[in-house]
Amino acid sequence: MRGSSRGAFAAFKVLIGLLRPYRGQFVVSLAALALGSSINLVFPEVVRRALDEQGFPWAKEHVGLITAGLAALFVLQGAAFYARSRLFGSIGQRVFCDVREIGRAHV
């Protein structure tokens, strides 16, 4: 059992080494992931608080403003999820090409 964990750690180190040239893109991808996921968590809370008359008594008078804010959150979330998917896909393809080149060099 202990030997298999060493092998897994060695494989993980190799993968991290392959990501090194793309670390800037990887950090931006993680930031986009965090932003999109945070909005996923914030959205229901904003709606709950907007519907609670005791928490925000002005909400009935500013329904349009709340709706515009929620729409802006959706647009921002969509942009973050698009960036995340695009960047992680690009990194994955580049790392795959690097692995293929390493394999060809050993043959």
Side-chain angles (χ1 to χ4, degrees), residues 1 4 14 17 19 31-33 43-44 55 58 68 103:
M1 185 65 114
S4 66
V14 169
L19 275 175
L33 173 67
F43 182 75
W58 53 267

Side-chain angles (χ1 to χ4, degrees), residues 13 20 28 31 33 35 37 42 51 55 64 68 75 77 80 84-85 89 93 95 104:
K13 281 178 64 173
R20 187 167 289 127
V28 172
L33 173 67
L35 177 65
S37 298
V42 166
L51 294 175
V75 169
Q77 181 184 35
R84 177 207 62 188
S85 296
Q93 289 175 3
V95 168
R104 284 185 185 150

Side-chain angles (χ1 to χ4, degrees), residues 1 5 7-8 14 19 30 53 60 62 81 87:
M1 185 65 114
S5 65
V14 169
L19 275 175
L30 288 177
E53 290 182 18
K60 282 186 177 179
H62 297 93
F81 283 161
L87 289 169

Side-chain angles (χ1 to χ4, degrees), residues 52-74:
D52 183 19
E53 290 182 18
Q54 295 173 353
F56 290 107
W58 53 267
K60 282 186 177 179
E61 297 133 16
H62 297 93
V63 174
L65 182 63
I66 292 170
T67 304
L70 292 175
L73 278 177
F74 270 132

